[in-house]
C-alpha cells in the first residue's frame, strides 16, 4: 500500500488564504453595513402602512405613501448591493451626469426616522444653479448616506444645545465640494488616524465599514475625502467629486 505524505501549507499559501478570508470578512461587513439603513426604512414604513390600513376607515392615501417609501428603499438596497459587489471586484462605477440636489432628496426619507427619534435638525445648503455631477449616482448616495448617518449617530449623547446636521456644497471650478457638519462631541484624537480603515470603528456597535467605503468610492472618482474639527463643536467631513 502506497504511503501518504502530508505536506504543511506553505507560508505563501497561508498568507493567500488569510487574505481571502480577510476580503470575505470585509465584503460581508460591507454588505451588512450598506443595506442596514434601507432595510430599517422598509420595516418602518411597512409597519406604518399596516397601521394606516387598520384605521376605520382605512387611511389609503397615507398607506400608499408609506408603501411608496418601501418600494423606494427596496430599490435603493438592491442598487447598493450591486454597487458593493462592484467595489469588491474593483469594477468601474456607472458614471452619469446628475444633479446632487435630486439625489439628496431621494435619500431624505431613509433618514426621517433617526432624525425624528433623536430630535435632530437636518439642514441642506447645496450649490446654487443645480450643477451637474459626473459620478456614479448610486455610489454618490452611498457616500452621502454614510456620512449623514455618522453625523446623526454622533449626536444622541449631546445635551445642552440643539442637535444639528448641515449638508452643504459649493462649486469650485471643475469639482463640487461637499461638507457634512455635526455639533456633537467630535472625534477622539486616538481614533482620528484610523477612521478610514476597514473593520475599525470608534463606536461600540459600529461595523467599521462606512468611512472605508466612502473613501474607496471617492478615490475611485478622482476626488478626496477628509475630516476636520467643527467650530465650536463636533466634526466636519469633506469630500470632492468632479462636476460640470
Amino acid at each position: 500500500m502506497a504511503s501518504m505524505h502530508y505536506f504543511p501549507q506553505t507560508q505563501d499559501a497561508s498568507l493567500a488564504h488569510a487574505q481571502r478570508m480577510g476580503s470575505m470578512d470585509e465584503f460581508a461587513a460591507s454588505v451588512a453595513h450598506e443595506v442596514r439603513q434601507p432595510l430599517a426604512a422598509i420595516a418602518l414604513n411597512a409597519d406604518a402602512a399596516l397601521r394606516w390600513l387598520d384605521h376605520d376607515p382605512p387611511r389609503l392615501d397615507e398607506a400608499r405613501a408609506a408603501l411608496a417609501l418601501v418600494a423606494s428603499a427596496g430599490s435603493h438596497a438592491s442598487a447598493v448591493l450591486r454597487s458593493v459587489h462592484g467595489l469588491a471586484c474593483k469594477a468601474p462605477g456607472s458614471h452619469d451626469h446628475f444633479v446632487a440636489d435630486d439625489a439628496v432628496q431621494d435619500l431624505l426619507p431613509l433618514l426621517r426616522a433617526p432624525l425624528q427619534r433623536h430630535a435632530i435638525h437636518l439642514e441642506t445648503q447645496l450649490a446654487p444653479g443645480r450643477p451637474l455631477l459626473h459620478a456614479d449616482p448610486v455610489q454618490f448616495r452611498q457616500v452621502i448616506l454614510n456620512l449623514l448617518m455618522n453625523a446623526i449617530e454622533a449626536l444622541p449623547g449631546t445635551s445642552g444645545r440643539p442637535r444639528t446636521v448641515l449638508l452643504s456644497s459649493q462649486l469650485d471650478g471643475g469639482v463640487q465640494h461637499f461638507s457634512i457638519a455635526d455639533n456633537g462631541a467630535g472625534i477622539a484624537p486616538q481614533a482620528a488616524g484610523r477612521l478610514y480603515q476597514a473593520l475599525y470603528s470608534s463606536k461600540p456597535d459600529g461595523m467599521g465599514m462606512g468611512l472605508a467605503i466612502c473613501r474607496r468610492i471617492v478615490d475611485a472618482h478622482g476626488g478626496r475625502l477628509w475630516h476636520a474639527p467643527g467650530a465650536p463643536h463636533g466634526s466636519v467631513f469633506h469630500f470632492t467629486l468632479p462636476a460640470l
Side-chain angles (χ1 to χ4, degrees):
M1 178 177 177
S3 60
M4 298 180 65
H5 299 279
Y6 294 91
F7 297 97
Q9 195 174 34
T10 66
Q11 184 174 359
D12 287 347
S14 298
L15 179 59
H17 176 73
Q19 288 173 337
R20 284 195 300 272
M21 293 305 295
S23 297
M24 289 174 62
D25 288 346
E26 185 176 330
F27 178 70
S30 298
V31 170
H33 183 277
E34 294 301 278
V35 300
R36 180 173 55 177
Q37 195 59 33
L39 288 180
I42 289 170
L44 181 73
N45 287 292
D47 184 62
L50 290 173
R51 290 200 307 271
W52 291 125
L53 291 173
D54 283 341
H55 273 252
D56 188 16
R59 304 280 291 273
L60 296 181
D61 287 344
E62 288 85 350
R64 288 191 189 97
L67 290 173
L69 292 175
V70 169
S72 176
S75 296
H76 178 71
S78 178
V80 163
L81 283 173
R82 291 192 297 271
S83 173
V84 170
H85 182 265
L87 286 172
C89 297
K90 296 181 171 59
S94 177
H95 284 48
D96 201 355
H97 297 134
F98 63 95
V99 179
D101 305 50
D102 297 336
V104 169
Q105 291 302 319
D106 289 343
L107 287 177
L108 294 185
L110 299 179
L111 297 169
R112 186 176 302 158
L115 288 170
Q116 291 177 346
R117 186 184 312 123
H118 301 298
I120 296 170
H121 174 66
L122 170 62
E123 183 179 355
T124 59
Q125 296 177 359
L126 298 184
R130 294 170 58 82
L132 290 174
L133 283 176
H134 181 57
D136 183 310
V138 173
Q139 293 181 355
F140 169 75
R141 287 193 289 267
Q142 283 180 262
V143 173
I144 291 290
L145 184 60
N146 274 319
L147 295 180
L148 286 175
M149 280 305 302
N150 279 355
I152 290 169
E153 291 170 356
L155 288 170
T158 304
S159 60
R161 59 180 180 270
R163 298 169 179 172
T164 62
V165 175
L166 172 63
L167 166 60
S168 60
S169 72
Q170 62 183 15
L171 194 60
D172 184 12
V175 301
Q176 197 164 347
H177 178 167
F178 295 87
S179 300
I180 293 90
D182 68 74
N183 66 339
I187 298 168
Q190 62 269 26
R194 302 183 61 192
L195 284 180
Y196 305 98
Q197 295 178 10
L199 303 179
Y200 169 79
S201 178
S202 59
K203 296 175 286 190
D205 58 346
M207 303 187 70
M209 290 307 305
L211 289 174
I213 290 170
C214 289
R215 173 158 279 182
R216 188 173 298 176
I217 290 173
V218 172
D219 287 351
H221 282 80
R224 192 164 70 93
L225 170 66
W226 71 101
H227 66 276
H233 306 286
S235 56
V236 187
F237 281 82
H238 304 270
F239 71 95
T240 58
L241 288 176
L244 294 179

